[in-house]
Amino acid sequence: MPDAPFRKLSSLSLIIPVFNEEESLPALRTELERLLPSFTGVDVELILVDDGSTDAGPDYCAAWAAEAPWVKVVTFSRNFGHQPAVSAGLRYAGGEAAVILDADLQDPPEVIPEMIRLYEAGYDVVYGRRRSRSGESRFKLASAWLFYRLMRRCVHKDLPVDAGDFRLMSRRCVDVLNAMPEVHRFMRGLAAWAGFRQTAVLYDRKERLYGESKYPLSKMFFLAWDAISSFSALPVRAVNFMGLCFLLFGFAVCLYALVQHLSGHTVPGWSSLVGLMTVIGGLTICSVGIIGEYVGKIYEEVKRRPLFIVEKTLNLDGRGAKKPVGRQ
Ligand code: UDP
Ligand code: MG
């Protein structure tokens, strides 16, 4: 494991996706401005990606950018979602390394100096690993715990457990992510997939102090499904396997029915028939549905629509013109 510093970080991009965060932004500003002097010798830029906010957040971001040239704003034409917003931030980032964090200060910026230290020691990816997580429901804690462990076991063995998108990435890792053309992006999975030297920093995830979570259960579910289906055809294989089991079972039932028939026993059979038909019918529909999900994904990908559309940028002159939409 590398520990002695062998490089010095010269510039850092902080990437923050923002969606209806008017209550959190003033606290975020205070906290970042307080921390800024601790990044001595590092040229820091902040990239706020406004993901189609409908509150007063965009005005706050614009006013902040007007006062501080290190603050840059990318405004989407509508709400595209958290993962496209993070992708846009990475696309615009000009730093030698980039850190992704939430606008609500749940990912404490005071952890960033430690991330930088590990980057300087030679790591390409330093992800924040949640030691504790306050303010979340028992359901969210339990489902997240199970999700990461199942993902590692069945889908993506390198996916770090209990880590969200709060991470530092080196320029070469950012470039790899930027070169990935897919629309359905599970960024933390893609970062793990990219490889390089990766390590964790433990931190306590705080409660959200202002506003509400922008990740309702439905969005979490779709993110989880994206995570599974982007990295594995396991669900298709699983239903295939189930189908095979039912086929074998069906053969056994046929054999039994034949023996009954030849031995002259009349089999009432109605309930078992109905039962079997229902189970097999359900399984067939379920299988077709899962295959349909993959076909749907292929459909989304082949359309090659942009991942996001940028309406305007602030303090990003020269960089914006090349990247108005989220495609190479
Ligand atoms: N976010 C976004 N677009 C969305 C939803 C969320 O840019 O469609 C941003 C949000 O403003 C926040 C980050 O993504 O900065 C994470 O969202 P949130 O804190 O609501 O998620 P949670 O921490 O509850 O999982
Ligand atoms: Mg949050």
Side-chain angles (χ1 to χ4, degrees):
M1 186 187 98
D3 40 20
F6 75 92
R7 61 182 165 190
K8 180 87 190 75
L9 181 69
S10 60
S11 56
L12 180 71
S13 305
L14 300 178
I15 296 166
I16 305 193
V18 182
F19 179 53
N20 292 342
E21 298 282 6
E22 63 179 354
E23 296 107 323
S24 302
L25 284 168
L28 177 74
R29 180 174 182 174
T30 311
E31 185 61 11
L32 289 181
E33 286 179 348
R34 187 183 68 79
L35 256 160
L36 207 58
S38 61
F39 301 119
T40 36
V42 183
D43 185 12
V44 181
E45 69 170 3
L46 171 65
I47 301 187
L48 297 167
V49 184
D50 173 29
D51 184 16
S53 298
T54 49
D55 62 359
D59 299 334
Y60 188 91
C61 294
W64 189 5
E67 282 172 42
W70 69 286
V71 177
K72 297 156 190 196
V73 183
V74 177
T75 308
F76 280 0
S77 61
R78 63 169 173 83
N79 178 246
F80 278 85
H82 176 225
Q83 302 291 299
V86 169
S87 305
L90 292 175
R91 209 60 76 77
Y92 279 87
E96 183 191 322
V99 173
I100 301 162
L101 64 161
D102 283 6
D104 54 15
L105 290 172
Q106 282 193 286
D107 305 324
E110 62 261 23
V111 177
I112 299 172
E114 175 61 6
M115 290 179 162
I116 295 176
R117 193 189 66 74
L118 287 162
Y119 168 83
E120 291 181 340
Y123 288 102
D124 279 275
V125 177
V126 185
Y127 53 84
R129 188 171 166 186
R130 301 179 282 247
R131 186 171 28 213
S132 66
R133 222 177 157 174
S134 18
E136 304 288 9
S137 68
R138 268 167 194 249
F139 174 77
K140 188 157 179 172
L141 294 180
S143 55
W145 186 90
L146 191 68
F147 170 73
Y148 284 107
R149 277 143 191 94
L150 275 180
M151 278 291 286
R152 260 177 88 89
R153 190 150 193 100
C154 308
V155 177
H156 192 340
K157 71 176 175 39
D158 296 322
L159 186 75
V161 286
D162 307 327
D165 286 317
F166 181 36
R167 67 189 59 225
L168 177 147
M169 287 185 283
S170 68
R171 169 51 48 192
R172 61 178 175 172
C173 186
V174 170
D175 287 343
V176 168
L177 292 192
N178 286 344
M180 291 182 187
E182 60 222 77
V183 173
H184 293 276
R185 297 165 86 83
F186 179 59
M187 296 305 284
R188 58 202 85 163
L190 294 179
W193 183 87
F196 301 120
R197 277 180 177 155
Q198 310 215 354
T199 191
V201 188
L202 281 174
Y203 75 103
D204 297 299
R205 191 160 211 251
K206 295 181 198 153
E207 201 170 330
R208 185 184 247 277
L209 292 179
Y210 313 93
E212 288 183 349
S213 170
K214 311 298 176 302
Y215 256 97
L217 198 60
S218 56
K219 274 195 190 173
M220 264 170 52
F221 175 78
F222 284 117
L223 184 71
W225 175 244
D226 263 352
I228 298 167
S229 55
S230 311
F231 285 98
S232 166
L234 190 74
V236 178
R237 283 199 207 121
V239 285
N240 216 347
F241 178 73
M242 275 200 298
L244 196 71
C245 292
F246 273 98
L247 196 67
L248 293 176
F249 179 64
F251 280 137
V253 171
C254 288
L255 208 65
Y256 172 73
L258 190 69
V259 170
Q260 291 293 310
H261 178 74
L262 293 178
S263 59
H265 290 110
T266 45
V267 184
W270 184 83
S271 15
S272 58
L273 253 184
V274 168
L276 266 178
M277 277 173 63
T278 320
V279 170
I280 294 171
L283 191 75
T284 312
I285 294 169
C286 175
S287 318
V288 172
I290 289 183
I291 294 164
E293 281 283 343
Y294 280 85
V295 174
K297 283 200 122 188
I298 298 169
Y299 170 68
E300 294 281 338
E301 298 294 347
V302 293
K303 277 192 290 189
R304 298 200 55 78
R305 286 227 179 109
L307 191 59
F308 51 82
I309 299 168
V310 173
E311 191 180 308
K312 62 175 182 196
T313 62
L314 297 171
N315 292 349
L316 274 166
D317 314 320
R319 279 194 234 166
K322 283 182 273 154
K323 305 162 185 169
V325 293
R327 280 264 175 235
Q328 250 56 35

